[in-house]
Amino acid sequence: MTVRHISTGSPFEEKIGYSRAVVADGWVFVAGTTGYDYATMTMPEDVTDQCRNALATIGRALEEAGSGLDHVVRVTYILPDKADWLACWPVTSAAFALARPAATMIQAGLQEPEMKIEIEVTARVP
């Protein structure tokens, strides 16, 4: 089995000891991704902006793996405040309009208080 690790350069990846994505046997497993802009290490205040950033980071990792958002088969959304979830629907609906993956939303605390959403996906390499 060939395994490839993909990094975004996030300081969390090195400090915690994980990869943004792992490619193995035609699958891409993308770690829980929050809304940081990794170029500036800033976090928007708005949950929809965080959702957009997280999906953009995920999309870049998937592209580097030879996949893309259209090949996502499973997605998990984690939000500290379930009331924020409704505002994310237009963003997630647009991102996954073609893939329409199996999905779960979980309410749970996240690593930092400014984090309002974390998204994890599994995709196929076409």
Side-chain angles (χ1 to χ4, degrees):
M1 172 172 74
T2 303
V3 175
R4 185 163 55 111
H5 298 89
I6 295 171
S7 173
T8 58
S10 160
F12 294 121
E13 293 170 28
E14 185 176 337
K15 288 179 184 177
I16 297 170
Y18 72 97
S19 297
R20 176 64 47 208
V22 176
V23 185
D25 290 337
W27 291 98
V28 186
F29 304 93
V30 182
T33 303
T34 61
Y36 279 106
D37 174 339
Y38 289 108
T40 62
M41 281 309 294
T42 58
M43 177 73 78
E45 288 188 30
D46 183 70
V47 69
T48 56
D49 291 335
Q50 288 189 26
C51 186
R52 279 188 198 91
N53 281 0
L55 289 168
T57 300
I58 290 167
R60 286 189 297 275
L62 289 171
E63 287 175 17
E64 187 173 336
S67 187
L69 291 173
D70 290 346
H71 301 287
V72 171
V73 297
R74 181 83 176 125
V75 59
T76 302
Y77 304 100
I78 306 161
L79 292 93
D81 183 354
K82 66 182 180 181
D84 284 340
W85 180 221
L86 182 63
C88 295
W89 289 6
V91 178
T92 61
S93 177
F96 296 118
L98 184 60
R100 299 185 54 98
T104 300
M105 190 284 287
I106 299 167
Q107 181 176 342
L110 299 179
Q111 182 173 304
E112 301 294 336
E114 67 269 17
M115 295 174 174
K116 295 183 178 180
I117 188 166
E118 184 168 339
I119 305 170
E120 175 184 272
V121 307
T122 302
R124 291 288 293 164
V125 177

